Amino acid sequence: MASAASAMTSPAVRSAASPISKPHQFNALQRAQSIMLHRKQASSTTAHRRRCSASPKSLLTLNSSTSPAYYPAPYPKEATTTIAKPASKPQSSDDSSARPEWNLFQRCAATALDTIEEVFISKVLERPHPLPKTADPAVQIAGNFAPVGEQAPFHNLPVEGRIPPFINGVYVRNGANPLFEPVAGHHFFDGDGMVHAVHLRNGAAAYACRYTETERLRQERAIGKPVFPKAIGELHGHSGVARLLLFYARSLFGLVDGSHGMGVANAGLIYFNDRLLAMSEDDIPYHVRVTPSGDLETVERYDFHGQLRSSMIAHPKLDPSSRELFALSYDVIKKPYLKYFYFSPDGNKSPDVDIPLDQPTMMHDFAITENYVVVPDQQVVFKLQEMIRGGSPVIYDRTKTARFGVLPKYAADASEMRWVDVPDCFCFHLWNAWEEPATGEVVVIGSCMTPPDSVFNECEESLKSVLSEIRLDLNTGKSTRRPILSPADQLNLEAGMVNRNMLGRKTRYAYLAIAEPWPKVSGFAKVDLCTGEVSKFIFGDGKYGGEPYFVPRDPKSSKEDDGYVLSLMHNENTSESELLIVNAADMQLEAAVKLPSRVPYGFHGTFITSRDMESQA
């Protein structure tokens, strides 16, 4: 595995420090004016919005307020931000209508259950047992993984270089941003969803970020503490069972309501049927609207007008030709453990196709081709009974043989599914797939991760993520797998994409994050999937970022790499964050947008063109 330092010595490396023209910078007066404007914008936002505390102290110095009115200066020097400390009772708020209206009996029940949580669960079941790194908040939300407060629209941002004139629209990226200090274990994936938006129009840029107002966030904000169980950080061992029972008890007394969704909407984003949808695989999507002023607002928990009655994974696939949206839903408790469905361009849902599985399986991603969907059934599975034995319910099942199912897109049932074994393969993400008519094979491009459960469970072995070509022979039922990069060029490549206009079709290039040193991202790579040639863009010393997003110059261009790569980058030395715009053809930096506040490391994003915005619902 090549290190970030050795990668920078490669002739193909392009650095974010490459000289580009510099614009006029903020002077002292302009900086002061910007701060005042920033605070004024923050104080004038609608009353229902609540913010995480911001402080120059460390992450572990936690503020007791959940509604600070302060935002950091445009170029803060502190690398951490505090988060709201849970209160023992509902806190005062400027949104009095959001407070839970409990009767005397409910208030007594709430007090009793809070006492059980504090005295028995926290002190007896949890405190004697040290948290693994994968559930330790001091590890999972430290540094630039720490949350930030909401940011009202901030316009006319400084730009170094020149934003390509054809890039008109908004780049949005999702991420986990816990509103409250965790009361127990916390995994990075557990945080509340926050969408960051960078508006690019006619060479100018603006920025805003807001929480996605999930049912979970709304209720916890009103109560003043986290009360919904955290699927990865908390639900393991006997304390996990106890916290589940505690949640059910609170539900029984009407203190919380999980019937309208328990998801965090922090992972994926897609623009479909005139709506920006924020998603996590534990719930249905949330509709988030981009306002004319550049702000973000949550419209509703969106079930496609009553058609979607189960959760939907965070990586649905939009076919570039038919404009249909294909998706999966998985359940960890009851059969069928897996369902497949799709939506017409105007949002009409197909009937579910139940896919029989012997046990519930982690199904974070899948792929499409022109005629098929490709469904991975891999070795990371859910065994809830392991919690009773004191372990994690997310298990790497070494006795199971990983396989991929190939199903016609418009199949009426799962009888047409053809399964192909792909031993010892776990792909958290699949970047593309296509059909090879000459050989009868389906080619899948994905990053094969080992150990498969290393993201969820602490282990001694270092994580490796190998970009691979997997060929599924539908005639023989056999598979082959090969690494695309040579051993000398091997990198951990995770999070990225191909040209979306060619999704499901044979592509030559993929743009993927260089996940080194794990879990940070030191740059991104443009990989030639045919030759294995790699061109790297390294952010620089102390600079890390996230998923690269390819924006085509012209959807009808004959050149697959005719466009630009957008990527958020954070400088850990100065605590400044930027949006970088890199020419995909030569991997040279074209522009850097200076953002007014720190942007934490996050997950997946998308780009909405100005034309699409005109028809936004």
Side-chain angles (χ1 to χ4, degrees):
M1 182 174 66
S3 67
S6 63
M8 293 182 67
T9 64
S10 168
V13 169
R14 300 292 183 267
S15 171
S18 303
I20 56 178
S21 60
K22 295 180 178 292
H24 175 68
Q25 299 295 310
F26 282 152
N27 58 35
L29 177 60
Q30 289 173 315
R31 183 185 294 264
Q33 291 173 334
S34 296
I35 296 173
M36 294 301 294
L37 175 61
H38 194 176
R39 292 179 179 174
K40 182 177 180 181
Q41 290 171 327
S43 63
S44 64
T45 52
T46 55
H48 75 275
R49 298 214 181 268
R50 302 293 301 276
R51 296 168 174 77
C52 293
S53 301
S55 168
K57 301 179 182 179
S58 70
L59 169 66
L60 300 181
T61 306
L62 296 161
N63 195 307
S64 61
S65 172
T66 63
S67 57
Y70 167 76
Y71 278 114
Y75 299 111
K77 297 301 180 184
E78 297 77 21
T80 57
T81 301
T82 60
I83 49 183
K85 187 174 182 179
S88 59
K89 60 183 180 179
Q91 300 180 5
S92 61
S93 168
D94 52 2
D95 184 8
S96 58
S97 63
R99 300 173 190 167
E101 296 181 358
W102 294 337
N103 58 36
L104 178 61
F105 178 72
Q106 288 175 311
R107 291 198 297 270
C108 292
T111 300
L113 293 173
D114 287 348
T115 301
I116 292 172
E117 178 181 18
E118 182 178 352
V119 174
F120 178 66
I121 299 178
S122 296
K123 293 183 178 179
V124 176
L125 295 181
E126 293 174 337
R127 185 169 296 176
H129 304 287
L131 289 168
K133 292 180 180 178
T134 51
D136 187 349
V139 175
Q140 292 292 308
I141 49 176
N144 196 46
F145 290 98
V148 295
E150 292 184 306
Q151 166 70 67
F154 201 108
H155 299 277
N156 298 317
L157 299 176
V159 178
E160 291 186 359
R162 177 175 175 267
I163 298 174
F166 84 92
I167 300 183
N168 284 307
V170 56
Y171 171 65
V172 283
R173 198 221 64 193
N174 213 343
N177 199 84
L179 175 64
F180 289 106
E181 173 192 6
V183 296
H186 180 93
H187 188 280
F188 181 46
F189 292 174
D190 290 329
D192 300 296
M194 175 176 275
V195 177
H196 301 260
V198 183
H199 295 250
L200 304 170
R201 186 169 184 82
N202 299 328
Y207 169 79
C209 68
R210 295 291 186 187
Y211 280 106
T212 298
E213 297 286 328
T214 63
E215 285 291 320
R216 177 190 189 113
L217 180 75
R218 183 184 61 79
Q219 293 184 53
E220 290 188 338
R221 180 191 284 123
I223 293 171
K225 62 181 290 184
V227 290
F228 283 76
K230 296 182 177 180
I232 306 176
E234 289 182 352
L235 299 188
H236 46 79
H238 300 141
S239 63
V241 175
R243 287 200 171 275
L244 274 179
L245 293 175
L246 177 67
F247 177 77
Y248 291 139
R250 284 173 169 151
S251 300
L252 182 65
F253 288 108
L255 306 177
V256 293
D257 181 7
S259 64
H260 299 293
M262 298 171 58
V264 288
N266 66 13
L269 290 170
I270 195 166
Y271 192 79
F272 173 70
N273 191 27
D274 299 328
R275 292 168 176 84
L276 174 63
L277 302 179
M279 301 163 292
S280 56
E281 56 211 52
D282 53 0
D283 206 340
I284 67 176
Y286 277 80
H287 175 196
V288 177
R289 179 185 289 124
V290 182
T291 71
S293 68
D295 211 343
L296 298 159
E297 62 180 18
T298 304
V299 179
E300 62 179 333
R301 183 172 178 260
Y302 186 63
D303 61 1
F304 291 84
H305 305 294
Q307 300 178 90
L308 183 60
R309 296 182 176 87
S310 61
S311 63
M312 189 172 86
I313 67 170
H315 292 286
K317 306 300 180 186
L318 183 62
D319 189 287
S321 295
S322 70
R323 309 307 296 174
E324 295 166 311
L325 187 70
F326 299 86
L328 298 175
S329 170
Y330 71 84
D331 195 299
V332 302
I333 297 176
K334 63 181 185 299
K335 292 185 176 181
Y337 295 127
L338 182 63
K339 299 177 182 178
Y340 159 70
F341 50 89
Y342 62 92
F343 297 93
S344 66
D346 56 1
N348 290 320
K349 181 180 174 295
S350 72
D352 290 336
V353 174
D354 297 342
I355 300 176
L357 298 178
D358 293 333
Q359 56 186 329
T361 301
M362 168 69 68
M363 201 75 62
H364 183 69
D365 201 0
F366 75 114
I368 62 171
T369 70
E370 286 189 76
N371 297 294
Y372 300 105
V373 291
V374 183
V375 179
D377 177 23
Q378 302 172 120
Q379 292 169 282
V380 177
V381 300
F382 296 95
K383 293 186 177 180
L384 301 184
Q385 61 269 27
E386 291 296 322
M387 294 173 63
I388 301 175
R389 302 188 184 103
S392 168
V394 184
I395 299 297
Y396 171 29
D397 186 352
R398 290 174 171 81
T399 66
K400 179 180 178 180
T401 300
R403 58 181 184 167
F404 284 73
V406 181
L407 180 71
K409 280 182 174 177
Y410 308 107
D413 55 55
S415 63
E416 298 183 64
M417 176 80 82
R418 283 175 282 182
W419 291 104
V420 179
D421 289 349
V422 187
D424 301 316
C425 174
F426 176 75
C427 293
F428 199 54
H429 292 107
L430 300 176
W431 311 122
N432 200 17
W434 61 81
E435 301 157 36
E436 292 279 10
T439 62
E441 294 173 314
V442 171
V443 178
V444 181
I445 305 297
S447 291
C448 294
M449 183 181 291
T450 56
D453 63 338
S454 57
V455 174
F456 309 101
N457 298 316
E458 188 172 6
C459 59
E460 296 297 326
E461 185 179 351
S462 298
L463 181 140
K464 290 181 63 178
S465 185
V466 179
L467 181 64
S468 303
E469 178 191 87
I470 304 164
R471 287 182 171 262
L472 311 174
D473 193 322
L474 302 184
N475 296 319
T476 65
K478 296 181 179 181
S479 69
T480 59
R481 174 160 54 111
R482 69 172 183 89
I484 292 175
L485 274 59
S486 69
D489 291 329
Q490 200 56 239
L491 295 165
N492 277 349
L493 296 177
E494 257 297 335
M497 63 181 300
V498 299
N499 186 329
R500 290 288 189 233
N501 293 321
M502 300 184 67
L503 191 69
R505 283 73 179 165
K506 187 171 185 176
T507 46
R508 180 173 180 179
Y509 299 112
Y511 306 91
L512 302 169
I514 301 174
E516 299 178 2
W518 178 263
K520 295 181 181 179
V521 171
S522 57
F524 58 86
K526 174 186 179 183
V527 181
D528 189 318
L529 301 175
C530 298
T531 66
E533 180 183 355
V534 181
S535 297
K536 304 167 192 168
F537 185 94
I538 302 300
F539 297 134
D541 292 339
K543 300 176 181 179
Y544 303 96
E547 174 190 66
Y549 191 90
F550 177 81
V551 179
R553 183 194 305 270
D554 182 353
K556 298 178 181 179
S557 175
S558 60
K559 295 183 178 180
E560 185 183 325
D561 61 349
D562 183 15
Y564 291 84
V565 179
L566 309 184
S567 181
L568 289 168
M569 183 200 73
H570 179 72
N571 187 329
E572 295 191 347
N573 299 317
T574 64
S575 196
E576 297 174 4
S577 296
E578 303 176 16
L579 175 70
L580 304 184
I581 302 175
V582 176
N583 191 311
D586 59 15
M587 296 291 280
Q588 293 284 354
L589 183 65
E590 295 277 339
V593 179
K594 306 292 184 178
L595 301 179
S597 54
R598 179 173 66 85
V599 178
Y601 305 130
F603 302 134
H604 307 289
T606 192
F607 185 81
I608 312 169
T609 67
S610 296
R611 178 174 296 180
D612 284 337
M613 293 284 293
E614 293 174 359
S615 60
Q616 185 181 204

